[in-house]
Amino acid sequence: MKILVRNLERSVTETELLDLFKAYGKVDETVVVLDAATGKSKGFGFVEMPNPREAIKAIKGLNTLKVKGMGIRVKAAEEKPKAE
């Protein structure tokens, strides 16, 4: 299950994101989205968890959690429609 994490403090790393989510179960991938021009975080990222039950627990447990002073927003990512 793909999870969207918004309102990240700009210095949060993919490793820190992984540490937050692995407390809830197996994590396949964490990505902090970077600005192409500056290489700095855009303040959001994605986490991929293979077990939907663990992913839902992570969403409920981490939504609104304060990380580096910012209340993060965590929800299931909406799948992009496939281009035809």
Side-chain angles (χ1 to χ4, degrees), residues 8-72:
L8 287 173
E9 204 280 326
R10 306 279 184 195
S11 68
V12 172
T13 65
E14 290 178 359
T15 304
E16 290 169 324
L17 211 50
L18 173 64
D19 289 342
L20 283 175
F21 279 83
K22 72 180 180 188
Y24 292 89
K26 183 173 180 352
V27 176
D28 283 344
E29 181 181 29
T30 58
V31 176
V32 172
V33 178
L34 304 177
D35 182 278
T38 65
K40 292 187 164 82
S41 169
K42 285 189 165 188
F44 71 98
F46 295 95
V47 176
E48 186 77 47
M49 294 181 79
N51 183 321
R53 184 170 284 139
E54 292 173 352
I56 289 166
K57 280 185 182 173
I59 290 167
K60 288 181 179 173
L62 295 172
N63 190 36
T64 72
L65 178 75
K66 282 211 183 303
V67 177
K68 294 191 178 182
M70 305 271 287
I72 63 172

